[in-house]
Amino acid sequence: MYSEALAIMDKNTVEYVIDEMRAEIRKNECSLQQKEAALQQKDNMLQQKEALIRELPERYT
């Protein structure tokens, strides 16, 4: 009986830890998606600025 109770507690502990890890992974995935979106936006802005810089000599010659 005692070992059965320990086995149940071990199983519950493992399930709890797995649930916590899954929650942490979901949180990290969300954060990563937000950072990827911000990085993409910055890349787009950089490309626009680079295009403007390339146009500068054409405007003043």
Side-chain angles (χ1 to χ4, degrees), residues 13-53:
T13 300
V14 169
E15 288 176 2
Y16 171 78
V17 170
I18 290 172
D19 288 343
E20 289 295 309
M21 292 173 119
R22 285 183 178 149
E24 185 72 21
I25 289 170
R26 282 191 298 272
K27 183 178 117 184
N28 289 341
E29 285 174 343
C30 182
S31 176
L32 179 60
Q33 289 173 352
Q34 291 172 343
K35 289 177 182 179
E36 285 175 343
L39 183 58
Q40 182 63 45
Q41 186 178 18
K42 288 180 180 184
D43 284 345
N44 292 341
M45 290 174 57
L46 181 59
Q47 288 175 357
Q48 291 172 352
K49 289 178 181 184
E50 287 173 342
L52 288 173
I53 290 170

